[in-house]
Amino acid sequence: MTCDFGISQSLNLYTHIPAFLISVVLGLFVLMVGKKNPVNRNLFIFILFFCFWVINDLFQWIVVDEKLNLFLARIAVIDVISLLFFLFFAYALVGKNLNFKKKILFAIPFIPLFVFMFSDFNVSMSGGEQCNTNFGPLYWYVYVLILGYTLWAISVMFFHYRKNRHDFKLKNQLKLIMSGIFLDVLWFVTIMSATYISVKNNYSWGDKFFMFTPFSMVIFLIIITYAITKYQFLNIKLIATQVLVYSLIILIGSQFFFIQNRTNQILNGVTLLLAIIFGIFLIKSVKAEIRRKEELQDMTEKLAIANDQLRKLDNAKSEFISIASHQLRTPLTAIKGYASLILEGTYGEVNQGITEPINKIYASNERLVQLVEELLNISKIESGKMEFNFEKHRIEDIVKDLSDTFVILAKDKKLYFNTELPEEPTPEVEIDTSKIREVISNLIDNSIKYTRRGGVNVKVELVKNATWKVKHQFKSEKPVIMDGAAVKITVSDTGIGIPKDDLSYLFSKFSRGRDTKRLHANGTGLGLYVGKNIIEAHHGKIWAESEGAEKGSRFIIELPLEQPK
Ligand code: ADP
């Protein structure tokens, strides 16, 4: 008996042949880009199964012999095995190479397809002119296989990604693969619904929509091929070069068929020889470039891992400093207390000889207390645990307060100490008073420390249109552009100045100027670093200016009147 499908053969060819050709090209491309890569190999086999299905489907609409048609419909079930290779592909993509035993094990559920392929459990003919087919119980099993293996493959990729969130390549590939699956399903559902609706309403085009089913898979294949080969672009370059060189050689070689003239033949021979030599050279150099880039890529990946480990180590170190500093605080306070008690004569009269050493103990202890405070500040900054108590406060009041102490200190060093405050009081600013006080105090302290002659001037003024960009060093928030009025504090001195090269790194951790040690051996290089972090937490700006060594320095802070909302 022969069948009459009632569809035009041109529609059949138009929908199936392009799908087949595109898939063949994609498959060959995938294989060419990574012949030895299991990801590419499994994807290639997956595509091959689809090609088989398209051709089978094409012939099912052509072959009118009922028996042969049934045979084709039955062997179509083989296509489901493609999902096994999709699973292997997923494992390979996440870098897990399945051994042969496991592969066989995973293939076992596909055995029933072969056992029942030629029985009525699979497709059977229901007769009629259109050779309608019935799907037997095997198809329920097929649906379970499709769903199960697809979900299995997806979960292999997802679980791996959840464990390796920094694997951005896999993340992008996963996104593409998932959107491919989504589009595939969407296309299929749309076609099925369109077929259903049009058949129900007896539209003339009615039952022809489903001829477009192959394209759902083609869309998926294009996306998945792109997702995989995108990251193998180095090989693509090599393939392109090889194709170019070979076609050039073939082109020049084919000239021999057209030219009879001896001279021209010799010339063509020379051209061919040159093309071959340059071609070999070009391919070799591309290969070398690829090797270098691959090495670079490899190194970058290793560096990223090392970087990650360093960050963890750095966190552990901050934690350690924090704990150690806390532990140091108590005994230091005790030393300070007992030293002052001794000096005050609480433990009996203090003779002249002992006063000086005790004073030295006291001073050294003070330095240690300061260091511990700074280390604690740093570990707080770095772990993001620095707490701020913002309140409205006037900057001049802080400066006035500080000047009482520093006037005496400057006098001891025979330096002048001036303050220049605005006639009209500056508006109050929202700040953590004690922290801002600490920062300004450190600037003035430095100016006195690093000045031998002359003195120090502290100026407070209101600036109307200050603009700057703030980005926290340890917070990942985006930089904020500050724009508007600000209170500006300038601490200038006539001291040792700062060489141009030093200006840029004074505010980094543990950084000290080159000449500084001569003048003040005990500095830590932490004060400015802590200060910068505190000022930036207020969305302010701090920087240093100096005409050079021995020409004095200016340290400037700008604090915005309004904090960004
Ligand atoms: P410390 O003063 O403990 O070394 P700081 O972080 O406060 O640490 O300062 C870092 C470095 O900046 C100093 O070592 C010094 O080289 C330089 N510096 C700071 N203030 C001045 C200043 N007023 N004049 C010249 N150099 C300065």
Side-chain angles (χ1 to χ4, degrees):
M1 190 178 159
T2 54
C3 316
D4 176 14
F5 306 114
I7 61 139
S8 97
Q9 277 312 322
S10 50
L11 177 65
N12 185 18
L13 295 178
Y14 278 138
T15 50
H16 286 69
I17 296 289
F20 174 74
L21 288 180
I22 294 172
S23 312
V24 168
V25 171
L26 286 177
L28 289 178
F29 181 65
V30 164
L31 199 64
M32 247 170 34
V33 171
K35 258 180 287 199
K36 291 182 192 141
N37 191 335
V39 175
N40 299 46
R41 283 185 184 186
N42 285 309
L43 185 57
F44 172 69
I45 300 176
F46 178 78
I47 297 175
L48 275 191
F49 272 103
F50 174 66
C51 292
F52 160 76
W53 180 83
V54 178
I55 287 298
N56 182 295
D57 203 55
L58 174 84
F59 280 102
Q60 276 190 53
W61 295 110
I62 295 175
V63 174
V64 288
D65 179 69
E66 195 188 54
K67 276 206 175 124
L68 194 54
N69 202 285
L70 181 64
F71 172 77
L72 289 175
R74 282 178 169 173
I75 61 169
V77 82
I78 292 175
D79 175 53
V80 182
I81 301 170
S82 63
L83 285 162
L84 181 65
F85 289 91
F86 186 56
L87 181 69
F88 294 164
F89 159 84
Y91 273 106
L93 190 67
V94 301
K96 279 188 200 151
N97 268 332
L98 295 174
N99 58 27
F100 187 66
K101 238 184 176 167
K102 271 212 175 126
K103 282 187 178 170
I104 294 289
L105 204 68
F106 293 171
I108 290 176
F110 291 87
I111 293 175
L113 301 184
F114 293 93
V115 176
F116 298 108
M117 194 186 299
F118 298 107
S119 73
D120 279 353
F121 285 116
N122 192 356
V123 184
S124 57
M125 277 291 165
S126 64
E129 252 187 16
Q130 297 196 344
C131 290
N132 284 336
T133 42
N134 276 337
F135 289 101
L138 186 67
Y139 261 81
W140 287 112
Y141 185 65
V142 164
Y143 296 141
V144 172
L145 277 184
I146 293 176
L147 198 67
Y149 274 70
T150 311
L151 289 181
W152 185 357
I154 292 174
S155 58
V156 165
M157 296 186 275
F158 260 107
F159 280 120
H160 181 82
Y161 171 63
R162 271 187 50 180
K163 270 199 235 146
N164 304 280
R165 281 186 189 273
H166 59 263
D167 191 345
F168 292 110
K169 180 176 138 190
L170 181 66
K171 183 182 172 182
N172 287 336
Q173 286 178 326
L174 258 182
K175 261 195 216 157
L176 281 169
I177 294 172
M178 289 314 294
S179 46
I181 293 178
F182 175 74
L183 283 177
D184 184 0
V185 173
L186 191 70
W187 182 282
F188 190 73
V189 171
T190 314
I191 287 208
M192 285 305 148
S193 322
T195 309
Y196 179 75
I197 293 169
S198 47
V199 168
K200 221 159 182 213
N201 295 310
N202 279 329
Y203 293 149
S204 60
W205 250 65
D207 51 356
K208 283 156 196 124
F209 279 109
F210 59 83
M211 297 302 290
F212 290 88
T213 328
F215 285 107
S216 68
M217 197 62 185
V218 173
I219 295 170
F220 174 65
L221 291 184
I222 292 175
I223 293 177
I224 201 170
T225 302
Y226 171 70
I228 300 311
T229 52
K230 187 179 158 191
Y231 295 95
Q232 300 171 337
F233 63 96
L234 295 175
N235 290 336
I236 294 174
K237 195 169 170 186
L238 180 64
I239 290 167
T241 317
Q242 281 171 336
V243 168
L244 184 82
V245 169
Y246 295 148
S247 16
L248 204 69
I249 291 173
I250 292 172
L251 203 71
I252 300 172
S254 62
Q255 293 291 309
F256 282 114
F257 295 110
F258 305 107
I259 38 181
Q260 267 94 38
N261 183 317
R262 209 96 287 167
T263 331
N264 281 355
Q265 273 176 352
I266 293 171
L267 278 178
N268 200 49
V270 172
T271 318
L272 184 63
L273 198 70
L274 283 177
I276 291 173
I277 293 171
F278 281 118
I280 291 173
F281 179 71
L282 189 66
I283 290 175
K284 268 195 173 165
S285 72
V286 171
K287 271 186 182 163
E289 187 195 326
I290 288 173
R291 215 176 308 119
R292 267 199 306 279
K293 282 200 177 150
E294 273 171 354
E295 277 167 14
L296 204 72
Q297 231 171 24
D298 203 39
M299 247 141 66
T300 317
E301 273 164 28
K302 280 188 188 143
L303 262 180
I305 296 170
N307 198 15
D308 207 42
Q309 283 169 341
L310 270 180
R311 200 171 305 127
K312 280 188 193 135
L313 214 65
D314 202 46
N315 284 345
K317 179 217 65 189
S318 293
E319 191 75 3
F320 168 74
I321 290 181
S322 164
I323 294 167
S325 317
H326 270 294
Q327 297 299 326
L328 281 172
R329 251 183 181 173
T330 327
L332 288 178
T333 318
I335 294 173
K336 181 177 172 154
Y338 283 114
S340 9
L341 287 177
I342 293 172
L343 285 174
E344 281 164 16
T346 313
Y347 301 106
E349 205 169 310
V350 187
N351 65 38
Q352 266 327 84
I354 203 83
T355 318
E356 207 193 314
I358 301 276
N359 265 331
K360 278 189 181 153
I361 291 177
Y362 188 88
S364 304
N365 189 62
E366 280 296 272
R367 277 215 308 276
L368 262 180
V369 171
Q370 177 77 22
L371 176 64
V372 166
E373 273 315 307
E374 273 169 0
L375 286 178
L376 263 178
N377 273 337
I378 284 176
S379 65
K380 274 189 209 149
I381 289 169
E382 291 182 358
S383 57
K385 285 184 192 145
M386 182 82 115
E387 279 174 15
F388 292 92
N389 296 316
F390 286 99
E391 54 182 359
K392 288 262 181 199
H393 206 92
R394 222 183 290 284
I395 300 290
E396 294 103 290
D397 295 342
I398 300 178
V399 172
K400 271 187 223 155
D401 226 28
L402 284 172
S403 71
D404 293 342
T405 330
F406 283 111
V407 162
I408 305 169
L409 213 66
K411 221 181 199 167
D412 282 350
K413 276 190 81 177
K414 304 206 167 49
L415 301 174
Y416 66 77
F417 183 84
N418 287 337
T419 49
E420 261 179 77
L421 304 180
E423 278 170 20
E424 229 176 82
T426 55
E428 288 187 327
V429 209
E430 207 161 305
I431 51 169
D432 182 321
T433 313
S434 70
K435 293 209 170 63
I436 292 293
R437 190 190 155 89
E438 209 176 299
V439 180
I440 301 176
S441 159
N442 181 51
L443 292 189
I444 304 177
D445 190 51
N446 276 349
S447 283
I448 295 178
K449 260 193 328 202
Y450 300 118
T451 303
R452 278 173 287 219
R453 283 176 293 280
V456 178
N457 188 64
V458 185
K459 183 175 176 184
V460 179
E461 64 195 308
L462 183 69
V463 285
K464 289 269 158 56
N465 36 20
T467 309
W468 63 84
K469 213 171 167 183
V470 198
K471 182 170 184 341
H472 281 268
Q473 227 170 331
F474 294 101
K475 290 188 190 160
S476 49
E477 49 181 70
K478 282 193 186 136
V480 187
I481 310 282
M482 299 300 300
D483 196 359
V487 176
K488 180 174 178 184
I489 309 130
T490 313
V491 180
S492 32
D493 61 52
T494 55
I496 61 167
I498 305 159
K500 274 228 153 40
D501 299 347
D502 286 4
L503 272 176
S504 54
Y505 68 87
L506 280 189
F507 292 89
S508 348
K509 206 172 4 173
F510 294 111
S511 85
R512 305 202 66 214
R514 268 167 280 173
D515 305 331
T516 317
K517 289 194 189 79
R518 262 185 293 122
L519 205 62
H520 206 278
N522 298 317
T524 54
L526 293 174
L528 289 180
Y529 171 75
V530 173
K532 184 175 161 73
N533 279 282
I534 292 178
I535 296 297
E536 285 180 355
H538 285 77
H539 295 103
K541 182 184 174 192
I542 180 167
W543 72 100
E545 291 174 358
S546 174
E547 290 355 301
E550 299 305 331
K551 295 202 173 133
S553 340
R554 280 182 305 283
F555 282 81
I556 301 149
I557 299 174
E558 278 180 356
L559 286 169
L561 291 192
E562 302 273 341
Q563 291 291 320
K565 290 284 169 275

